[in-house]
Amino acid sequence: MRTTCLALTALLSAASLNAFAPHASFQTTRTSSPTRSRSRGDLVMKDFPKPNVEDTDNYRIGEKLSASFSTNLKITSPAQKKKVAIIGGGLSGLACAKYLVDAGHEP
């Protein structure tokens, strides 16, 4: 029983060491610069081009709906203006506050 527990402990500890290891290798470069020598572990950062999301149907539909809060759904009289409490400051709460302000309400 004790040897089984020890073997199981060893197996779990070996598995946990690999669980947090990086799964992707990073590119490294070696330069012969006299001012600063680089080691093999230096990380090279690359910028990738921005994807063209503005040219998709979903983006155009979302942009049109977002603009409708400022135009079509804008309140016209002060009697329509509401003071609204937004519970939560996450992404949905911030988006809700933005759209309510665009429509003329006071969050």
Side-chain angles (χ1 to χ4, degrees):
M1 177 73 176
R2 181 166 170 82
T3 56
T4 305
C5 287
L6 289 175
L8 184 60
T9 304
L11 180 65
L12 288 175
S13 65
S16 67
L17 289 177
N18 291 332
F20 297 106
H23 297 294
S25 62
F26 296 108
Q27 282 187 338
T28 58
T29 59
R30 300 202 28 96
T31 61
S32 59
S33 172
T35 58
R36 180 176 168 234
S37 63
R38 296 182 138 203
S39 67
R40 289 183 60 105
D42 284 347
L43 179 66
V44 176
M45 303 296 283
K46 281 187 170 182
D47 268 347
F48 291 97
K50 181 182 172 223
N52 190 11
V53 295
E54 288 88 7
D55 195 27
T56 61
D57 289 335
N58 288 340
Y59 185 86
R60 285 193 284 278
I61 291 169
E63 190 174 35
K64 186 192 291 186
L65 288 172
S66 181
S68 72
F69 281 97
S70 299
T71 56
N72 301 343
L73 299 175
K74 186 86 172 169
I75 60 173
T76 55
S77 69
Q80 290 178 323
K81 187 174 183 175
K82 304 286 184 204
K83 188 169 189 171
V84 182
I86 299 169
I87 309 301
L91 291 176
S92 59
L94 293 173
C96 179
K98 181 215 180 287
Y99 290 131
L100 285 171
V101 167
D102 287 349
H105 299 290
E106 186 180 338

